[in-house]
Amino acid sequence: MRLDVVTIFPEYLEPLNVSLVGKARTTGLLDVHVHDLRDWTYDRHNTVDDTPYGGGPGMVMKTGPWGDALDTVLADGYDTGAHAPALIVPTPSGMPFTQELAVELSERPWLIFTPARYEGIDRRVTEEYATRVPVYEVSIGDYVLAGGEAAVLVVTEAVARLLPGVLGNADSHRDDSFAPGDMADLLEGPVYTKPPLWRGRDIPEVLLSGHHGKIARWRRDEALKRTARNRPDLIERTDPKSFDKKDRETLSILGWAPGPEGSEGRPSGRFWRRPPAVEE
Ligand code: ADE
């Protein structure tokens, strides 16, 4: 996979040389090119921003440098045999970056990231390139960063670990929280390793039992507990058909109940948190 990043802070992308992504680069699975946007400025101050039309706070990134940079990056990529580029525009106004989107992006051969500073990039830039290549405006969460570079690191790491050959074990991401499939919509439960006793704390006995069925059940219950506590929204939107009898028991102990069948506004039978009992 080829990755291009155009930024005014190339040094911010240094972490792409480290750990999993760094290794994928050295083994040739990832071909990363980081570009300095200011290489496409032609004034004494290397200006990349200007005041917003219509007024308002902050500055907007100018069309000129971005247009010239993206034309060059695209031409260079095509020249070297890359194909089917997609533009990834990190912005708090983008679609949520999810595991599903990470999987989709990991199947593309060439991603070009345009992390912005200030109030963002002049809209005409995304409009222009959207006529030529798929454009994904992506947000990594409901908070505002000072720029998109940290989002590039997040997206790159989530995508790179899905590339064939990057993680040793092809099964490694099957059980990820948010992985499509059986465990969909449940967070992963706790994990333990040696020693068996640390500062007076031992590990759940079932994990030493060697009983695979019991261990799987325990893991599932722990996943349900953690999800109910940390991400109740995931339980609420799970198709009730994907909960087995024991799941229902566990959820009931945790204070959850199936919603009324087909009631207004709620898909039939979805679990929802029972209201706490009213004290007399
Ligand atoms: N740039 C600033 N905030 C961001 C966010 N939450 N996601 C992606 N890019 C951003």
Side-chain angles (χ1 to χ4, degrees):
M1 172 183 271
R2 174 171 169 137
L3 297 182
D4 287 272
V5 186
V6 183
T7 169
I8 57 168
F9 293 121
E11 64 277 23
Y12 207 120
L13 283 303
E14 278 294 312
L16 296 181
N17 292 316
V18 179
S19 186
L20 175 133
V21 176
K23 179 128 185 285
R25 290 178 78 169
T26 49
T27 58
L29 290 166
L30 264 186
D31 177 24
V32 180
H33 303 252
V34 178
H35 313 270
D36 188 342
L37 179 67
R38 293 195 202 274
D39 289 349
W40 291 276
T41 54
Y42 309 101
D43 64 313
R44 217 156 44 88
H45 301 290
N46 300 114
T47 311
V48 293
D49 61 335
D50 208 334
T51 53
Y53 276 122
M59 300 290 272
V60 175
M61 296 191 95
K62 293 161 68 65
T63 50
W66 279 109
D68 290 352
L70 291 173
D71 286 350
T72 311
V73 166
L74 282 165
D76 176 66
Y78 285 125
D79 277 352
T80 57
H83 67 286
L87 218 57
I88 315 298
V89 182
T91 162
S93 319
M95 65 176 92
F97 182 62
T98 58
Q99 188 65 21
E100 193 184 355
L101 187 52
V103 170
E104 180 176 334
L105 297 181
S106 75
E107 288 162 356
R108 301 201 60 99
W110 182 11
L111 304 177
I112 303 172
F113 292 92
T114 62
R117 292 268 143 182
Y118 318 113
E119 296 300 310
I121 304 172
D122 187 306
R123 185 66 190 165
R124 291 168 293 179
V125 175
T126 25
E127 279 174 10
E128 165 74 9
Y129 288 93
T131 67
R132 301 194 220 166
V133 303
V135 174
Y136 295 80
E137 290 184 299
V138 172
S139 166
I140 61 162
D142 291 341
Y143 39 77
V144 179
L145 302 167
E149 284 77 5
V152 173
L153 296 176
V154 166
V155 172
T156 302
E157 185 156 320
V159 167
R161 66 186 284 286
L162 296 174
L163 298 177
V166 168
L167 285 188
N169 175 357
D171 277 352
S172 302
H173 36 77
R174 195 195 48 204
D175 290 347
D176 290 346
S177 295
F178 314 111
D182 267 350
M183 294 287 278
D185 297 333
L186 287 190
L187 305 181
E188 280 187 62
V191 293
Y192 301 86
T193 186
K194 291 171 272 305
L197 188 64
W198 179 72
R199 299 190 182 177
R201 297 167 184 275
D202 52 13
I203 63 170
E205 227 175 274
V206 62
L207 297 179
L208 300 170
S209 69
H211 193 300
H212 298 304
K214 281 195 179 144
I215 291 172
R217 186 63 249 174
W218 180 85
R219 287 195 168 136
R220 176 97 182 155
D221 285 340
E222 291 301 310
L224 283 164
K225 279 189 224 166
R226 194 180 251 187
T227 310
R229 181 165 12 101
N230 292 344
R231 292 292 304 277
D233 57 306
L234 295 182
I235 303 274
E236 280 168 11
R237 73 174 194 226
T238 298
D239 182 345
K241 286 199 275 298
S242 65
F243 292 130
D244 65 18
K245 186 152 170 279
K246 186 64 182 36
D247 289 344
R248 291 165 189 285
E249 253 172 63
T250 302
L251 283 171
S252 158
I253 291 165
L254 295 171
W256 291 69
E261 291 286 324
S263 62
E264 269 260 279
R266 237 174 230 294
S268 69
R270 298 235 161 176
F271 275 75
W272 57 302
R273 203 195 283 277
R274 270 199 303 260
V278 182
E279 296 206 10
E280 293 295 321

